[in-house]
Amino acid sequence: MPLEILINVFPYTCLINKNRRIAVMKKLFTPALALFFAITTYANVVQAEEGKNYVSFSGGVGWASDIDRTMTAGSKQKTLSVEFDNTFGFSGAYGRQIVDWFRLEGELGYIYTKVDEVTEVGNTMMPESGDEQFFTAMVNGIVDIENTTAFTPFIGGGIGVVYAKHNVDFDPISTDTSPGIDSDESDTVFGSQLLAGVNWKYSDTVTFEAKYRLLYVSEREHSSSFQPSGEVSIDSTWLQSVMVGVRYTF
Protein backbone atom coordinates (compact mmCIF):
# COMPACT_ATOMS: atom_id res chain seq x y z
CA MET A 1 0.00 0.00 0.00
CA PRO A 2 1.21 3.61 -0.60
CA LEU A 3 1.46 4.39 3.13
CA GLU A 4 3.72 1.42 3.85
CA ILE A 5 5.87 2.31 0.83
CA LEU A 6 6.45 5.84 2.15
CA ILE A 7 7.13 4.64 5.69
CA ASN A 8 9.77 2.24 4.40
CA VAL A 9 11.46 5.08 2.52
CA PHE A 10 11.99 7.09 5.69
CA PRO A 11 14.92 5.84 7.80
CA TYR A 12 13.52 7.30 10.96
CA THR A 13 10.60 4.93 11.10
CA CYS A 14 12.65 2.51 13.17
CA LEU A 15 12.24 5.04 15.96
CA ILE A 16 8.44 4.71 15.95
CA ASN A 17 7.78 1.93 18.40
CA LYS A 18 4.50 2.92 19.97
CA ASN A 19 1.06 2.18 18.57
CA ARG A 20 -0.05 5.71 19.35
CA ARG A 21 2.74 7.21 17.23
CA ILE A 22 1.92 4.93 14.31
CA ALA A 23 -1.77 5.82 14.52
CA VAL A 24 -1.00 9.56 14.55
CA MET A 25 1.33 9.25 11.57
CA LYS A 26 -1.27 7.33 9.55
CA LYS A 27 -3.94 9.89 10.34
CA LEU A 28 -1.83 12.90 9.40
CA PHE A 29 0.02 11.44 6.42
CA THR A 30 -3.12 10.14 4.66
CA PRO A 31 -4.23 13.48 3.08
CA ALA A 32 -0.74 14.30 1.79
CA LEU A 33 -0.26 10.78 0.49
CA ALA A 34 -3.61 10.83 -1.29
CA LEU A 35 -2.62 13.98 -3.16
CA PHE A 36 0.87 12.69 -3.89
CA PHE A 37 -0.33 9.43 -5.39
CA ALA A 38 -3.06 11.26 -7.30
CA ILE A 39 -0.22 13.04 -9.13
CA THR A 40 1.53 9.80 -10.02
CA THR A 41 -1.73 8.14 -11.05
CA TYR A 42 -2.64 11.06 -13.27
CA ALA A 43 0.79 11.00 -14.90
CA ASN A 44 0.52 7.29 -15.66
CA VAL A 45 -3.07 6.96 -16.91
CA VAL A 46 -3.22 9.92 -19.27
CA GLN A 47 -1.80 9.62 -22.75
CA ALA A 48 1.99 9.68 -22.49
CA GLU A 49 3.51 12.96 -23.60
CA GLU A 50 7.28 13.30 -23.77
CA GLY A 51 8.65 16.17 -21.70
CA LYS A 52 5.77 16.36 -19.24
CA ASN A 53 6.97 14.30 -16.26
CA TYR A 54 10.08 15.01 -14.21
CA VAL A 55 12.13 14.10 -11.17
CA SER A 56 14.23 16.62 -9.26
CA PHE A 57 16.82 16.62 -6.50
CA SER A 58 18.17 19.57 -4.50
CA GLY A 59 20.20 20.36 -1.41
CA GLY A 60 21.40 23.36 0.51
CA VAL A 61 21.88 25.22 3.78
CA GLY A 62 19.75 27.57 5.84
CA TRP A 63 18.78 28.70 9.29
CA ALA A 64 16.01 28.10 11.82
CA SER A 65 14.07 30.58 13.91
CA ASP A 66 14.54 30.57 17.68
CA ILE A 67 12.07 28.18 19.31
CA ASP A 68 10.43 28.71 22.71
CA ARG A 69 9.87 25.57 24.80
CA THR A 70 7.72 25.43 27.90
CA MET A 71 8.54 22.51 30.20
CA THR A 72 6.16 21.49 32.98
CA ALA A 73 6.91 18.95 35.71
CA GLY A 74 4.38 18.89 38.53
CA SER A 75 4.16 22.40 39.95
CA LYS A 76 7.42 23.48 38.31
CA GLN A 77 7.65 25.18 34.95
CA LYS A 78 10.50 26.51 32.84
CA THR A 79 10.40 28.49 29.57
CA LEU A 80 13.46 28.41 27.34
CA SER A 81 14.46 30.09 24.10
CA VAL A 82 16.54 27.77 21.91
CA GLU A 83 18.87 29.03 19.17
CA PHE A 84 20.28 26.78 16.45
CA ASP A 85 23.32 26.49 14.22
CA ASN A 86 22.83 26.70 10.47
CA THR A 87 20.75 23.93 8.95
CA PHE A 88 21.45 21.64 6.04
CA GLY A 89 19.01 19.51 4.08
CA PHE A 90 17.97 17.93 0.83
CA SER A 91 14.80 16.98 -1.03
CA GLY A 92 13.55 14.94 -3.95
CA ALA A 93 10.37 15.38 -5.99
CA TYR A 94 8.34 13.72 -8.70
CA GLY A 95 6.11 16.00 -10.71
CA ARG A 96 4.25 16.79 -13.91
CA GLN A 97 4.02 19.87 -16.12
CA ILE A 98 0.23 20.26 -16.13
CA VAL A 99 0.30 23.25 -18.51
CA ASP A 100 3.20 25.33 -19.86
CA TRP A 101 3.20 27.61 -16.86
CA PHE A 102 2.11 25.32 -13.99
CA ARG A 103 3.64 22.24 -12.34
CA LEU A 104 2.31 19.90 -9.64
CA GLU A 105 4.68 17.69 -7.63
CA GLY A 106 5.04 15.47 -4.58
CA GLU A 107 8.16 16.17 -2.53
CA LEU A 108 10.00 14.37 0.27
CA GLY A 109 12.67 16.23 2.26
CA TYR A 110 14.98 16.23 5.27
CA ILE A 111 16.46 19.08 7.38
CA TYR A 112 18.99 18.81 10.23
CA THR A 113 20.08 21.47 12.71
CA LYS A 114 22.12 21.42 15.90
CA VAL A 115 21.36 23.29 19.13
CA ASP A 116 23.66 26.30 19.53
CA GLU A 117 22.44 28.15 22.63
CA VAL A 118 19.69 27.89 25.25
CA THR A 119 18.50 30.88 27.27
CA GLU A 120 15.95 30.78 30.06
CA VAL A 121 13.47 33.64 30.25
CA GLY A 122 15.37 36.20 32.30
CA ASN A 123 18.58 35.69 30.28
CA THR A 124 20.01 32.81 32.32
CA MET A 125 22.29 30.71 30.10
CA MET A 126 22.03 26.94 30.41
CA PRO A 127 24.37 24.11 29.42
CA GLU A 128 22.91 22.33 26.40
CA SER A 129 23.39 19.70 23.74
CA GLY A 130 21.18 18.19 21.10
CA ASP A 131 19.72 18.52 17.62
CA GLU A 132 16.47 18.78 15.68
CA GLN A 133 15.52 16.80 12.57
CA PHE A 134 12.59 17.41 10.23
CA PHE A 135 11.27 14.93 7.64
CA THR A 136 8.76 16.50 5.25
CA ALA A 137 6.11 15.17 2.85
CA MET A 138 4.66 17.97 0.71
CA VAL A 139 2.44 18.49 -2.31
CA ASN A 140 3.62 21.59 -4.20
CA GLY A 141 2.06 23.77 -6.86
CA ILE A 142 4.60 25.82 -8.86
CA VAL A 143 4.02 28.66 -11.34
CA ASP A 144 6.73 29.17 -13.98
CA ILE A 145 7.06 32.75 -15.25
CA GLU A 146 7.99 32.13 -18.86
CA ASN A 147 10.03 34.57 -20.94
CA THR A 148 12.30 34.58 -24.00
CA THR A 149 15.51 33.67 -22.12
CA ALA A 150 16.86 30.35 -20.87
CA PHE A 151 16.19 31.51 -17.30
CA THR A 152 12.68 30.96 -15.91
CA PRO A 153 11.70 32.47 -12.52
CA PHE A 154 9.14 30.54 -10.50
CA ILE A 155 7.06 30.87 -7.36
CA GLY A 156 5.05 28.25 -5.52
CA GLY A 157 3.88 26.74 -2.30
CA GLY A 158 3.01 23.45 -0.70
CA ILE A 159 1.15 21.78 2.14
CA GLY A 160 1.70 18.49 3.89
CA VAL A 161 3.04 16.99 7.08
CA VAL A 162 6.31 17.14 9.00
CA TYR A 163 7.76 14.44 11.22
CA ALA A 164 9.78 16.48 13.74
CA LYS A 165 12.25 14.75 16.03
CA HIS A 166 14.43 16.26 18.72
CA ASN A 167 17.16 14.76 20.89
CA VAL A 168 18.09 17.35 23.50
CA ASP A 169 19.64 17.57 26.94
CA PHE A 170 19.20 20.84 28.83
CA ASP A 171 20.56 20.95 32.37
CA PRO A 172 19.45 23.47 35.01
CA ILE A 173 22.07 25.76 36.47
CA SER A 174 23.58 24.62 39.78
CA THR A 175 21.42 26.94 41.91
CA ASP A 176 18.19 26.11 40.06
CA THR A 177 15.72 23.59 41.49
CA SER A 178 13.37 23.67 38.48
CA PRO A 179 13.41 20.78 36.01
CA GLY A 180 15.97 20.19 33.31
CA ILE A 181 15.14 18.14 30.26
CA ASP A 182 16.50 14.93 28.82
CA SER A 183 14.30 14.34 25.80
CA ASP A 184 14.38 12.07 22.77
CA GLU A 185 10.89 12.52 21.35
CA SER A 186 9.10 13.05 18.04
CA ASP A 187 5.76 14.21 16.66
CA THR A 188 4.00 14.42 13.29
CA VAL A 189 2.35 17.79 12.62
CA PHE A 190 1.02 20.01 9.86
CA GLY A 191 3.52 21.82 7.64
CA SER A 192 3.47 24.25 4.73
CA GLN A 193 6.04 26.06 2.62
CA LEU A 194 6.66 28.89 0.17
CA LEU A 195 9.08 28.53 -2.75
CA ALA A 196 10.74 31.04 -5.08
CA GLY A 197 13.65 30.71 -7.45
CA VAL A 198 14.92 30.51 -10.99
CA ASN A 199 15.47 27.64 -13.46
CA TRP A 200 18.16 27.46 -16.13
CA LYS A 201 17.33 25.15 -19.03
CA TYR A 202 20.56 23.38 -19.95
CA SER A 203 18.98 21.03 -22.47
CA ASP A 204 15.58 19.62 -23.42
CA THR A 205 15.80 17.14 -20.52
CA VAL A 206 18.13 18.77 -17.93
CA THR A 207 17.32 21.93 -15.98
CA PHE A 208 19.30 23.43 -13.11
CA GLU A 209 17.61 25.47 -10.41
CA ALA A 210 18.33 27.72 -7.45
CA LYS A 211 15.56 28.38 -4.94
CA TYR A 212 14.60 29.83 -1.58
CA ARG A 213 12.30 27.83 0.70
CA LEU A 214 10.42 29.00 3.79
CA LEU A 215 9.07 26.02 5.73
CA TYR A 216 6.50 26.31 8.54
CA VAL A 217 6.17 23.57 11.18
CA SER A 218 3.22 23.88 13.56
CA GLU A 219 3.58 23.66 17.34
CA ARG A 220 4.17 20.32 19.08
CA GLU A 221 3.34 18.83 22.48
CA HIS A 222 4.40 15.53 24.00
CA SER A 223 5.56 13.74 27.11
CA SER A 224 9.24 13.83 27.93
CA SER A 225 11.84 12.51 30.38
CA PHE A 226 12.26 15.48 32.66
CA GLN A 227 13.97 15.67 35.99
CA PRO A 228 11.31 14.64 37.13
CA SER A 229 9.02 13.38 34.33
CA GLY A 230 6.72 15.95 32.73
CA GLU A 231 5.47 17.61 29.54
CA VAL A 232 7.04 19.84 26.88
CA SER A 233 5.34 22.30 24.56
CA ILE A 234 7.32 23.47 21.50
CA ASP A 235 6.24 26.60 19.62
CA SER A 236 5.80 26.65 15.85
CA THR A 237 9.02 26.75 13.85
CA TRP A 238 10.18 28.62 10.73
CA LEU A 239 12.99 27.11 8.66
CA GLN A 240 14.62 29.01 5.78
CA SER A 241 16.79 27.35 3.15
CA VAL A 242 18.76 28.33 0.05
CA MET A 243 19.04 25.32 -2.26
CA VAL A 244 20.45 24.33 -5.64
CA GLY A 245 19.39 21.32 -7.65
CA VAL A 246 18.76 19.62 -10.95
CA ARG A 247 15.57 18.49 -12.70
CA TYR A 248 15.35 15.72 -15.28
CA THR A 249 12.37 15.79 -17.64
CA PHE A 250 11.15 12.73 -19.51
Side-chain angles (χ1 to χ4, degrees), residues 65 89 130 157 170 189 214 228:
S65 63
F170 303 149
V189 295
L214 177 62

Side-chain angles (χ1 to χ4, degrees), residues 104-125:
L104 192 63
E105 65 180 26
E107 179 196 59
L108 302 177
Y110 171 78
I111 298 175
Y112 174 89
T113 183
K114 191 172 180 62
V115 173
D116 177 51
E117 184 175 280
V118 180
T119 305
E120 186 179 359
V121 173
N123 296 321
T124 300
M125 300 297 297

Side-chain angles (χ1 to χ4, degrees), residues 53-247:
N53 301 321
Y54 66 86
V55 291
S56 65
F57 302 92
S58 59
V61 297
W63 55 99
S65 63
D66 296 352
I67 304 177
D68 286 343
R69 303 168 186 264
T70 301
M71 303 178 297
T72 305
S75 60
K76 299 177 181 179
Q77 187 176 87
K78 182 189 293 289
T79 299
L80 306 175
S81 178
V82 183
E83 298 180 22
F84 297 92
D85 290 332
N86 291 339
T87 68
F88 73 85
F90 53 85
S91 66
Y94 174 81
R96 182 171 177 84
Q97 193 85 41
I98 305 300
V99 293
D100 290 342
W101 54 270
F102 181 72
R103 292 180 279 131
L104 192 63
E105 65 180 26
E107 179 196 59
L108 302 177
Y110 171 78
I111 298 175
Y112 174 89
T113 183
K114 191 172 180 62
V115 173
D116 177 51
E117 184 175 280
V118 180
T119 305
E120 186 179 359
V121 173
N123 296 321
T124 300
M125 300 297 297
M126 300 178 66
E128 84 291 331
S129 64
D131 58 58
E132 295 264 359
Q133 301 179 68
F134 303 89
F135 300 83
T136 63
M138 296 282 171
V139 175
N140 301 323
I142 301 172
V143 175
D144 293 311
I145 306 172
E146 296 187 327
N147 55 74
T148 58
T149 72
F151 297 92
T152 305
F154 64 87
I155 57 173
I159 59 172
V161 291
V162 180
Y163 175 78
K165 173 174 169 50
H166 71 266
N167 180 3
V168 294
D169 182 7
F170 303 149
D171 297 322
I173 58 177
S174 58
T175 58
D176 191 355
T177 60
S178 59
I181 174 175
D182 180 10
S183 179
D184 185 359
E185 292 286 341
S186 60
D187 202 358
T188 305
V189 295
F190 170 79
S192 60
Q193 62 183 4
L194 296 175
L195 305 168
V198 61
N199 294 320
W200 174 50
K201 188 174 182 179
Y202 176 75
S203 68
D204 288 341
T205 57
V206 177
T207 301
F208 296 99
E209 73 173 20
K211 66 182 178 183
Y212 167 81
R213 176 176 69 178
L214 177 62
L215 173 66
Y216 169 79
V217 182
S218 60
E219 62 184 25
R220 298 165 267 158
E221 290 189 13
H222 52 72
S223 300
S224 191
S225 301
F226 288 102
Q227 305 162 4
S229 179
E231 299 287 330
V232 61
S233 175
I234 302 176
D235 282 0
S236 55
T237 308
W238 294 93
L239 298 154
Q240 302 182 68
S241 300
V242 177
M243 311 180 77
V244 294
V246 61
R247 185 168 85 234

Side-chain angles (χ1 to χ4, degrees), residues 1-10 13 29 33 37 108 137:
M1 293 179 64
L3 180 60
E4 282 72 19
I5 292 173
L6 181 60
I7 290 178
N8 288 330
V9 170
F10 280 92
T13 53
F29 266 89
L33 287 173
F37 284 100
L108 302 177

